[in-house]
Amino acid sequence: MNNALEVSHLSKDYGAFKLEDVSFTIPGGTIMGLIGENGAGKSTTIKCILNLVRRDGGEITVFGRDNRKEERAVKGDIGVVLDEVLFHDVLRPQQVGRVLAGLYPRWDGKLFDHYLEKFGLTGKKTVKEFSRGMKMKLAIAAAFAARPRLLILDEATSGLDPVVRDEILDEFLEFIQDEDHAILISSHITSDLEKAADYITYLHNGRVAVSGAKDELLDTYGKLVCGRSELEQVDRALLAGSRVGQFGCEALVKDRRAFARRYPALTVDPATLEDIMVFTGKGDAQ
């Protein structure tokens, strides 16, 4: 299986913020979820991949090609969907297609029309009259019609209702059935990534805090809920972070099976991606 994207030891120094030693790989036929707090470095990482900002160090390859040395060819293989849809308000979807046909060398007008029909965007409404969900569907239809091999989405599903998000996630899963395709999704909606992502990379303060196969991460980490006295008896080396509240304590367990062998009387539930993100990011919060 070929890798769609390889980011190796990426760094970018803005002075007040640094992206440091960021590395992850997306194999073909898979989806990588990029998570992290606001300001953690997700958008900077994506801008470096797109060569919209010049990296200070590291390497980025898209299907084996350096994203700077072969920028034109690399960008021809990438489709991008951003949080904000930038199509002009007065255009109808068919007019958007005619404009984009002159910009993308592999533009597929029939495929664009197919998605307009599938998404219910064939009427006379202009972009200005579209709901956020309709605008996002139009952006995704345009991205697919450009025939990319790597799709990059930066918070593209935020603000959408669960039904629309689920419909769009189905399209992403269909897109990667061809192992020559892959997706990088930056999102705060970790429940979506639990459904669709194969891999997760969590950025915290410009560094990779956790990265790996999603199923392995969810299978390994656990969430402990207990009393303060019980938490005080637990070896902190087994925990990735904890919170002590008025009515009890919570902690993220690094290896729930090893923890269960050592503390069989304590109950450890499966952790979610949100648990991993919150506890790893905050560490100990008293």
Side-chain angles (χ1 to χ4, degrees):
M1 186 185 297
N2 295 323
N3 290 327
L5 175 66
E6 296 181 21
V7 177
S8 303
H9 307 293
L10 174 64
S11 64
K12 177 65 181 176
D13 189 349
Y14 285 110
F17 171 78
K18 290 182 181 179
L19 199 66
E20 298 184 78
D21 197 30
V22 171
S23 298
F24 60 86
T25 297
I26 308 179
T30 68
I31 297 175
M32 167 73 79
L34 189 64
I35 62 175
E37 308 87 350
N38 290 330
K42 302 187 302 298
S43 292
T44 297
T45 298
I46 288 174
K47 287 176 182 176
C48 287
I49 294 168
L50 297 174
N51 204 27
L52 297 177
V53 298
R54 193 169 184 84
R55 62 182 183 266
D56 295 326
E59 296 181 353
I60 298 173
T61 59
V62 178
F63 295 101
R65 295 180 298 203
D66 185 276
N67 76 320
R68 289 198 308 205
K69 294 177 182 176
E70 299 181 73
E71 181 175 4
R72 182 179 292 272
V74 165
K75 285 188 174 178
D77 276 337
I78 297 177
V80 182
V81 181
L82 302 176
D83 177 31
E84 215 170 313
V85 177
L86 301 176
F87 301 131
H88 200 287
D89 281 349
V90 301
L91 296 178
R92 294 186 176 91
Q94 293 81 359
Q95 293 171 313
V96 169
R98 288 196 288 272
V99 171
L100 296 179
L103 300 177
Y104 292 100
R106 298 204 296 260
W107 181 261
D108 188 331
K110 288 185 178 179
L111 185 61
F112 184 65
D113 290 341
H114 163 77
Y115 278 109
L116 293 186
E117 183 75 32
K118 188 171 187 177
F119 290 156
L121 302 176
T122 55
K124 299 296 183 182
K125 284 186 176 181
T126 63
V127 172
K128 184 178 182 179
E129 299 172 277
F130 280 6
S131 66
R132 173 167 170 75
M134 293 170 70
K135 288 180 180 178
M136 195 53 59
K137 288 178 181 179
L138 178 60
I140 289 167
F144 283 158
R147 289 290 187 183
R149 297 166 69 195
L150 173 64
L151 192 60
I152 296 178
L153 303 110
D154 191 5
E155 298 295 348
T157 59
S158 63
L160 301 179
D161 68 65
V163 174
V164 173
R165 291 207 319 270
D166 206 52
E167 184 180 355
I168 289 173
L169 288 177
D170 285 343
E171 295 299 329
F172 295 159
L173 291 171
E174 181 67 26
F175 178 77
I176 61 160
Q177 292 307 303
D178 179 347
E179 290 196 356
D180 195 40
H181 293 160
I183 299 177
L184 174 65
I185 304 179
S186 165
S187 180
H188 285 102
I189 307 173
T190 54
S191 58
D192 284 353
L193 300 181
E194 287 183 10
K195 292 179 186 176
D198 301 288
Y199 298 91
I200 296 294
T201 295
Y202 168 37
L203 294 182
H204 178 61
N205 292 336
R207 287 181 170 272
V208 174
V210 175
S211 188
K214 178 203 68 182
D215 289 344
E216 290 181 9
L217 292 175
L218 295 179
D219 188 56
T220 301
Y221 282 92
K223 185 177 180 181
L224 169 67
V225 179
C226 62
R228 184 188 292 262
S229 61
E230 293 170 312
L231 182 63
E232 289 173 350
Q233 297 172 23
V234 170
D235 182 354
R236 289 302 175 115
L238 303 176
L239 306 178
S242 64
R243 289 188 300 197
V244 177
Q246 183 178 356
F247 301 106
C249 304
E250 296 178 325
L252 183 68
V253 174
K254 295 177 183 177
D255 184 335
R256 56 178 168 150
R257 289 175 180 79
F259 187 92
R261 288 193 295 270
R262 185 163 173 184
Y263 300 100
L266 297 179
T267 301
V268 178
D269 296 319
T272 63
L273 289 179
E274 184 172 339
D275 291 330
I276 294 171
M277 181 174 155
V278 169
F279 282 99
T280 304
K282 290 185 175 180
D284 287 327
Q286 302 297 331

